[in-house]
Amino acid sequence: KTSIYLNSYHHLVHRSDYYKIVDEEDLKEINALAARCREMLNQSFLEKYYKNDLINLELLYSGLLILSGGPAIKKGADELESMLISYQQINLAGTEDSVFLFLMIAYFSTRAYDKCAATFKRYLRVTKGKRVYDDNDIEIYAYYYLSQWISVKNKQYLLKLKTTYHRAVKNKPQSVQVTAIKEFVSYFNLPVEL
């Protein structure tokens, strides 16, 4: 369910009218799922016996907090940052790119564009030479280029966003990534043709 909600709403969380866009029943379920994750995370045996499951549960919880919008976005980002510190000695392979994508969504949604840039650099450093999920990679790059365009208005970032869009189209023409980039171009009225 969390993946479905992330795919449906991650590229809209930053909008001032987010609560008018998100389906009311979906938002109730997002909040209920986040509460259920919190309950499960409070169970002490997870840390000892189910480390990988715990990491995935923390990731889901953080993603749901971000989708909850408002002040929960910062809490979701804080949870992710804490997770990166707590588990730096553990191989997060398979989840690292998701962690960084969720951080990019959170920081972009709170207009912390400097943190988007820092997170992008960390992402490149941490995943260097590692296999990452291509869809997450595309979205991380899209958030980075968009945040940089908003921050510095350098046209190179629009061109790179356009290249990222074409990469997404080549992978899957009807993908979430294609939809997200189109939404960004439309919402921010970017001077670029896709």
Side-chain angles (χ1 to χ4, degrees), residues 44-58:
S44 58
F45 72 91
L46 285 174
E47 179 81 34
K48 186 173 182 181
Y49 299 107
Y50 301 101
K51 185 78 70 184
N52 288 337
D53 293 331
L54 177 67
I55 291 168
N56 284 314
L57 186 59
E58 286 184 13

Side-chain angles (χ1 to χ4, degrees), residues 9 43 46 79-80 85 91-94 116:
Y9 296 116
Q43 298 176 18
L46 285 174
E79 291 281 334
L80 290 166
I85 292 166
N91 183 0
L92 295 175
C116 283

Side-chain angles (χ1 to χ4, degrees), residues 11 30 36 73 89 115 120 158 173 184:
H11 57 285
I30 287 166
R36 180 68 182 122
I73 297 171
Q89 302 304 321
K115 288 187 177 183
F120 182 74
L158 287 181
F184 293 150

Side-chain angles (χ1 to χ4, degrees), residues 19-77:
Y19 289 120
K20 293 177 184 173
I21 297 169
V22 66
D23 182 82
E24 191 176 316
E25 290 304 311
D26 288 352
L27 188 57
K28 282 181 186 174
E29 188 166 15
I30 287 166
N31 290 325
L33 287 168
R36 180 68 182 122
C37 286
R38 183 73 263 157
E39 287 173 21
M40 293 172 71
L41 287 166
N42 287 335
Q43 298 176 18
S44 58
F45 72 91
L46 285 174
E47 179 81 34
K48 186 173 182 181
Y49 299 107
Y50 301 101
K51 185 78 70 184
N52 288 337
D53 293 331
L54 177 67
I55 291 168
N56 284 314
L57 186 59
E58 286 184 13
L59 180 64
L60 293 176
Y61 175 60
S62 299
L64 289 163
L65 286 174
I66 293 165
L67 290 180
S68 294
I73 297 171
K74 183 183 178 332
K75 185 174 181 188

Side-chain angles (χ1 to χ4, degrees), residues 80-141:
L80 290 166
E81 292 288 2
S82 176
M83 189 174 92
L84 284 173
I85 292 166
S86 297
Y87 300 117
Q88 60 186 318
Q89 302 304 321
I90 294 174
N91 183 0
L92 295 175
T95 59
E96 281 174 334
D97 53 341
S98 294
V99 171
F100 285 103
L101 173 58
F102 292 4
L103 282 171
M104 292 295 278
I105 295 166
Y107 292 142
F108 184 82
S109 296
T110 58
R111 294 175 179 79
Y113 304 127
D114 57 329
K115 288 187 177 183
C116 283
T119 300
F120 182 74
K121 289 174 186 168
R122 281 168 59 200
Y123 168 72
L124 294 178
R125 188 178 65 250
V126 168
T127 61
K128 186 176 182 173
K130 296 179 183 176
R131 188 154 171 72
V132 294
Y133 185 52
D134 205 38
D135 289 350
N136 287 350
D137 191 62
I138 288 169
E139 289 184 293
I140 289 167
Y141 274 82

